[in-house]
Amino acid sequence: MFAANSLPRSTSQPPPSVSASNQLMPKIYFRTRSVYKILLNLDKNKSAGPDGIPAMVLKNIAASIAKPLRNLFHLSFSSGVFPCSWKTANVFPIPKKGVKSNPGNYRPIAICSIMSKVMEIIINQKLMKYLESNMLINDKQYGFRSKRSTGDLLTYLTLKLISVLHKGREAVSVSLDISKAFDRVWHTALLSKCRSIGLDNKRNKLLIWIENFLSNRSIKVLVDGFFSELYSIAAGVPQGSVLSPILFIIFINDLLSLTSNPIHSYADDSTLVSSYNFRKKALATTQATALRRTETSASVNSDLIKIAEWGMQNRVDFNASKTHCCIISRKQDITFNPQINFQGLDRSVL
């Protein structure tokens, strides 16, 4: 069941074209000192991955193993080959709400090799520095970025909507839901977008390494002390991986600049917001108010069409039934219905 969640939509379509950046990712170097520092900071309570090597062991022998690990990381990166033994993850099913006898009510928690995570931490630090310094990540993305949090996004949107109310304006907010967001990332489209932001160049083999990192992965599930057989993962970014969050942000990045109304996002949790004011001379007329609301509804629906088309082009499934619309207004007008429609479903609020 967990492996089936990572089956991509079957189509023969090419990946969507994305505008290319003029920037090029600089070469990545692995330093013994950096490896040593990461080993010392490992959480000794972390579970061992499929290789059975616990964090406590790696931490205690950090001085002896830092240089050999550095050489291993350099060989893996320079050859563009991610070790096969690091491509398997142990999955522990954790019950969510609902009946425990239903496998669908379990959340998979993946445990990867700790040595793999050490290498990924170094690459992730270099990649994030490159993306942030060259402003290649949309500013409306708050997920997994330094000095940004869910609290920051919540505060920003709250203040923005309070300002709308204080100015006597109204806003329409639409929250979007992506089905199995991390599990079904289309590798071909992701690699194409990585190429467009300068990760494919003569200076390093990062894109080749990422392609190998994503391919031929597998999971095995542990229940009551027994492991299942191995199951292949055909799509998605690996759960439990350090690199997966930033790879997902790269994958979804172009969506945030697609619409005329802003989309604010924390990873895959996105909110489309459209605010509008009333023409001053006709502020009190019902006809003018109705006209502005109609124009806003049309603008939001136009953006939702673009979002749905982006989903089709990128093999992303938006859950229309979990898409919700909210009206922010001080007017006591309960008849206001914005007529919001997404993928054939009426998301209007009465």
Side-chain angles (χ1 to χ4, degrees):
M1 184 197 69
F2 294 143
N5 289 338
S6 297
L7 292 176
R9 187 191 302 160
S10 179
T11 64
S12 58
Q13 70 190 61
S17 59
V18 181
S19 58
S21 168
N22 295 325
Q23 305 297 327
L24 294 176
M25 175 80 180
K27 188 174 181 179
I28 293 179
Y29 294 94
F30 295 90
R31 312 288 186 187
T32 301
R33 180 176 56 185
S34 299
V35 175
Y36 177 67
K37 184 177 179 180
I38 294 172
L39 290 172
L40 285 182
N41 290 327
L42 289 175
D43 183 355
K44 63 182 181 180
N45 295 318
K46 289 289 185 181
S47 300
D51 56 15
I53 303 176
M56 181 180 292
V57 171
L58 294 175
K59 189 170 184 175
N60 290 339
I61 62 172
S64 301
I65 203 175
K67 187 173 182 179
L69 274 183
R70 177 264 170 200
N71 294 337
L72 176 62
F73 298 160
H74 174 75
L75 178 61
S76 169
F77 190 80
S78 60
S79 62
V81 177
F82 187 72
C84 294
S85 59
W86 291 351
K87 291 187 177 184
T88 299
N90 294 340
V91 172
F92 296 82
I94 303 299
K96 300 185 291 185
K97 60 182 180 180
V99 182
K100 291 187 177 182
S101 60
N102 181 3
N105 290 331
Y106 285 79
R107 176 182 290 108
I109 303 299
I111 308 298
C112 302
S113 167
I114 296 177
M115 286 194 294
S116 167
K117 290 185 177 182
V118 174
M119 182 179 184
E120 291 177 53
I121 288 172
I122 297 174
I123 294 177
N124 186 67
Q125 290 173 345
K126 303 290 185 181
L127 181 55
M128 285 298 301
K129 182 179 179 180
Y130 167 71
L131 295 175
E132 295 285 8
S133 61
N134 291 285
M135 295 182 289
L136 295 173
I137 303 177
N138 194 296
D139 192 52
K140 294 189 287 291
Q141 175 62 260
Y142 283 73
F144 308 109
R145 299 178 66 181
S146 177
K147 299 180 181 179
R148 297 197 180 199
S149 66
T150 51
D152 293 329
L153 180 55
L154 178 61
T155 301
Y156 172 79
L157 287 178
T158 300
L159 291 176
K160 182 176 181 178
L161 296 176
I162 288 174
S163 176
V164 167
L165 295 178
H166 283 175
K167 293 178 181 179
R169 302 164 66 185
E170 290 183 342
V172 175
S173 171
V174 180
S175 60
L176 304 170
D177 182 81
I178 299 178
S179 300
K180 308 297 181 184
F182 282 71
D183 294 332
R184 294 178 182 171
V185 170
W186 183 21
H187 291 169
T188 304
L190 171 59
L191 294 172
S192 176
K193 294 177 183 183
C194 288
R195 188 176 294 108
S196 71
I197 58 175
L199 302 193
D200 182 26
N201 60 77
K202 296 180 180 179
R203 298 182 186 180
N204 63 61
K205 295 185 177 181
L206 179 57
L207 186 63
I208 298 174
W209 186 88
I210 290 176
E211 183 175 9
N212 194 273
F213 169 81
L214 293 171
S215 65
N216 301 317
R217 300 195 72 102
S218 59
I219 60 171
K220 53 183 179 179
V221 180
L222 178 64
V223 177
D224 292 337
F226 294 91
F227 276 110
S228 71
E229 60 183 285
L230 286 175
Y231 285 86
S232 297
I233 301 299
V237 288
Q239 189 183 127
S241 163
V242 175
L243 277 174
S244 290
I246 187 58
L247 291 178
F248 181 81
I249 287 175
I250 292 173
F251 179 69
I252 202 175
N253 192 53
D254 58 313
L255 172 64
L256 304 187
S257 57
L258 183 68
T259 56
S260 57
N261 296 297
I263 299 178
H264 301 279
S265 181
Y266 188 92
D268 60 312
D269 294 324
S270 304
T271 303
L272 176 72
V273 180
S274 177
S275 61
Y276 53 94
N277 56 3
F278 302 101
R279 296 180 176 89
K280 293 182 179 179
K281 293 182 180 180
L283 185 61
T285 65
T286 304
Q287 184 178 3
T289 300
L291 177 61
R292 294 296 287 132
R293 289 171 170 174
T294 301
E295 292 172 348
T296 300
S297 298
S299 176
V300 170
N301 281 324
S302 176
D303 284 342
L304 290 176
I305 291 174
K306 294 177 184 177
I307 292 170
E309 290 176 348
W310 181 91
M312 291 295 295
Q313 294 170 358
N314 290 272
R315 300 188 186 182
V316 171
D317 295 319
F318 285 94
N319 192 335
S321 63
K322 291 185 178 181
T323 298
H324 299 290
C325 176
C326 179
I327 310 303
I328 295 91
S329 175
R330 297 178 68 178
K331 293 182 177 293
Q332 302 297 316
D333 186 355
I334 61 173
T335 62
F336 176 30
N337 187 339
Q339 298 296 320
I340 300 302
N341 185 284
F342 186 48
Q343 294 183 338
L345 291 182
D346 183 12
R347 300 290 89 199
S348 302
V349 175
L350 295 178

